Each structure stands twice: as C-alpha cells, then as structure tokens.
Amino acid sequence: MYNRRKFIRLSALGIPLLYSTKSIAGALNANTGNQVGSPIVISTWNFGIEANAAAWNVLKNGGRALDAVEQGVWVPESDPQNHSIGLNGYPDRDGKVTLDACIMDEQGNCGSVAALEFIAHPISVARRVMEKTPHVMLVGEGALQFALEQGFEKVNKLNPESEKAWKEWLKTAKYKPVINIENKSFAPKKLPGNQYNHDTIGMLALDSKGNLSGACTTSGMAFKMHGRVGDSPIIGAGLYIDNEVGGATSTGVGEEVIRNVGSFLVVELMRQGYSPEDACKEAVMRIIKRKPETAKEIQVGFLALNKKGEYGAYAIQKGFSYAVCDAADQKLLIKGKSFY
Ligand code: ASP
C-alpha cells in the first residue's frame, strides 16, 4: 500500500519515484494519451501484432496479464511460417529444434525451460514449472520429462522450410550470428521464405487491475551449437518483471544480453526514474561500451513497459520493430536509430 511518509523519506534521500498514487489519478500516459494504468500489451517484432491481438482478447475482458502473455505468445509458437519461435523454428547445427522460454507474474513468480525439444508450447511448460514445482528452471531431458508428465503432447517433426534452410546452411556451416533483415547489408541471403535467422517474441502486459506480467519464447539462434541456451529463458536477462516498477524483455544476440543482465538492468533503471525508452537505450549503450565491435556486428534490442503503461524500446541496429495494442489502438513501431 502507498505510504506517504515513506514517499517523503525516499524523496528526501533524492531517490526519484516513478509516481505517487495521487499523481496517477487523472494522469495521462505519455505514449498513448490514455488514463495511466489502462490495460496495454506490447511485444517484439512484426509478429507481435497478431500475438498482441490474442493477448488483448484476455485483457479487454478484464483478464489477468499472466494469461494474456501466455495466450499471446502461443500465436507465433504455433505459426508454421515462423522459423524463430516454437517447433517450426530453425534447428540447431545437429538438426534438432531446441526451445527456450520463460514467464513471470506480478508477484515475482517465474518459470523457465531451456533446450526443450518436441513440445509445441514451451511457454506453457514454463508456466507449469512456475506453478507446479518449487523450481524456476528445467532444462533439456528433464524439462521434456516434466512436460510429458504434465500431459503435453510430444511432437516430433522438423518444418520442411526449416529443414531446407538447415541443409543449405550445412554446405558452409559458418558459425556466426548474423544481423537480421532489419539491416539489409547483413541479411542472410539464402534462408527460404525471407525468414529470419533469429528473433524472439518478448511480450509485456499490464491488466485492468494494474498488474504486470511478461513472457519470452524462442527457438534461439539458428544452427546454434546443440545445448546452447540464449538469454530468452533466463530471468533477468531475456525477461524481468517488477510489479512496483515495470517490465522489460530482449531480443537479439543472447550472449550479450546475459553478460549485462539486460532486462533486469532496464527495470532497475526505470526504478531510478528513467523513461522506458531511456532505460532501454542505457542498457544498449552498456553493451556497446563494453564491446564496441557489437555496434557493427550484432543486434540486441530491449522493450520496456512501466507501471503507468508507458513503453519504449531501443536497439543497437536500426529497424527493430515492436507492436503495441491497447483499447484505442493497435500499431507497429520501428526504432530508426542506428549505431552502425
Ligand atoms: N535472443 C535470442 C537468443 O539469443 C535470439 C533472438 O531474439 O534473436 O537465443
């Protein structure tokens, strides 16, 4: 509960507070112009549009943000055209599709799976880890065993387009993450269907009760080493939610996000008073500062939503798109900044 004495004490110490309960009443969201705290869902990349629509079906009926993000990311997880999320994703270099996912709710509960094979909705297995076990993370064989015990179906298939891309890749087997089509000079030339060699869905939602949740799911880097785990299933790296402050999620080369505990950093910066966009920018700049070559060679993008429902994003390379959906609008925004 809001405590005025505590607010005054923290203010006197010079710790900026995002808002007080009083200032929320009647205040407007700087991004949307809606009442502060109105439900909203945001997610990474173009496929976020359809995913947000599914999440919005939950939010608009007064549903919980946790259900919204789970149902939202099911959309790209089951899209046969999507080769960077779910079982239709590109395989690792051994031809196995291994999935990473995590989920976090308004109470700080979280669940995660990494290197999970044969399961169509890794996000739902992550939720079961959160709700049905005393643990946060299950990996590989153990995650699969748990999923099967929980009644998830085992699906053993390789999407034909993904198989074709993998076979093409095997001809050179060049092991280097490449920046996606958002930067055309680095676009992978031979992936069928103009598909991406990586791209995760990270989704953040605020519900009508003012609670935040997030989900993040991916098949990871195409043609990665078997057993490689990226940032996406790692709480604090690929996703972080603090219901007092906001949430953040990431996409791009996961190793750099893990090294900087990126999503946690973005949320902590928002706690210090940064806007969502400025927090994402600072997290990107830390990566570039530590490793200047990243500015030329890789993509990392962050997306953030604060408790008021204000959002922002920032990426190393230009062209990072993200989708926003609330009662008034459904849109796709693209960050035009480039450090290259
Ligand atoms: N972050 C993901 C990973 O490193 C990939 C991506 O979002 O592009 O596995």
Side-chain angles (χ1 to χ4, degrees):
M1 233 217 334
Y2 174 64
N3 173 328
R4 187 158 189 277
R5 273 174 69 188
K6 197 171 163 197
F7 172 73
I8 291 167
R9 210 165 12 141
L10 290 174
S11 301
L13 285 172
I15 297 169
L17 296 180
L18 284 174
Y19 58 85
S20 72
T21 305
K22 272 188 184 162
S23 69
I24 276 185
L28 297 181
N29 178 321
N31 289 114
T32 61
N34 294 337
Q35 186 78 28
V36 156
S38 305
I40 185 166
V41 56
I42 63 174
S43 58
T44 52
W45 302 114
N46 298 9
F47 42 65
I49 290 269
E50 285 177 344
N52 283 357
W56 184 253
N57 278 337
V58 177
L59 295 175
K60 76 172 184 212
N61 294 317
R64 189 176 169 200
L66 183 70
D67 295 322
V69 294
E70 182 187 16
Q71 289 174 37
V73 304
W74 280 349
V75 176
E77 276 187 344
S78 44
D79 180 356
Q81 311 263 297
N82 189 315
H83 301 315
S84 59
I85 298 165
L87 282 182
N88 296 297
Y90 290 135
D92 63 20
R93 66 184 188 180
D94 297 347
K96 295 173 176 159
V97 180
T98 64
L99 305 176
D100 295 340
C102 74
I103 195 160
M104 191 161 186
D105 77 5
E106 74 281 0
Q107 292 158 34
N109 299 312
C110 46
S112 160
V113 288
L116 174 65
E117 289 183 68
F118 310 123
I119 301 293
H121 291 298
I123 198 66
S124 298
V125 185
R127 183 167 177 176
R128 296 282 178 94
V129 172
M130 173 174 96
E131 291 177 341
K132 306 271 185 208
T133 81
H135 308 302
V136 166
M137 192 166 193
L138 291 178
V139 306
E141 276 295 318
L144 176 60
Q145 186 186 330
F146 171 72
L148 298 176
E149 280 165 17
Q150 288 290 314
F152 288 86
E153 189 193 346
K154 185 169 179 179
V155 185
N156 196 353
K157 61 154 192 187
L158 187 54
N159 174 289
E161 277 191 352
S162 297
E163 187 171 9
K164 196 170 160 204
W166 171 59
K167 290 195 168 144
E168 190 63 43
W169 176 82
L170 280 175
K171 289 181 189 162
T172 54
K174 198 169 161 213
Y175 194 64
K176 191 174 192 307
V178 263
I179 293 163
N180 270 332
I181 55 161
E182 70 263 18
N183 185 337
K184 292 214 165 42
S185 60
F186 284 94
K189 303 253 167 356
K190 288 200 170 148
L191 300 182
N194 197 23
Q195 283 297 322
Y196 316 119
N197 71 320
H198 58 88
D199 275 355
T200 296
I201 186 154
M203 177 178 276
L204 306 165
L206 178 71
D207 64 28
S208 57
K209 292 200 171 74
N211 286 324
L212 290 158
S213 289
C216 187
T217 175
T218 190
S219 51
M221 290 287 165
F223 322 129
K224 60 196 175 187
M225 285 175 75
H226 184 60
R228 179 265 186 189
V229 171
D231 57 323
S232 308
I234 298 181
I235 297 295
L239 177 73
Y240 196 71
I241 299 290
D242 184 324
N243 205 43
E244 285 184 0
V245 176
T249 189
S250 63
T251 181
V253 176
E255 283 73 6
E256 295 310 326
V257 180
I258 295 170
R259 285 186 184 107
N260 291 277
V261 200
S263 291
F264 182 73
L265 174 61
V266 171
V267 172
E268 285 306 299
L269 289 166
M270 290 196 290
R271 189 193 305 282
Q272 290 169 29
Y274 281 66
S275 71
E277 180 172 324
D278 287 349
C280 293
K281 181 176 179 183
E282 175 62 20
V284 162
M285 297 315 285
R286 295 252 184 119
I287 292 174
I288 294 173
K289 193 172 161 201
R290 193 175 289 187
K291 270 195 178 181
E293 66 273 24
T294 57
K296 280 191 183 171
E297 291 172 358
I298 64 158
Q299 175 65 302
V300 170
F302 291 104
L303 181 62
L305 178 68
N306 71 18
K307 183 77 173 165
K308 294 193 268 185
E310 294 167 340
Y311 55 82
Y314 216 84
I316 299 177
Q317 310 298 333
K318 64 185 171 192
F320 170 41
S321 63
Y322 64 100
V324 177
C325 179
D326 64 9
D329 212 358
Q330 214 197 116
K331 59 192 167 204
L332 189 74
L333 300 169
I334 298 182
K335 284 308 296 176
K337 293 270 185 329
S338 173
F339 289 92
Y340 177 60

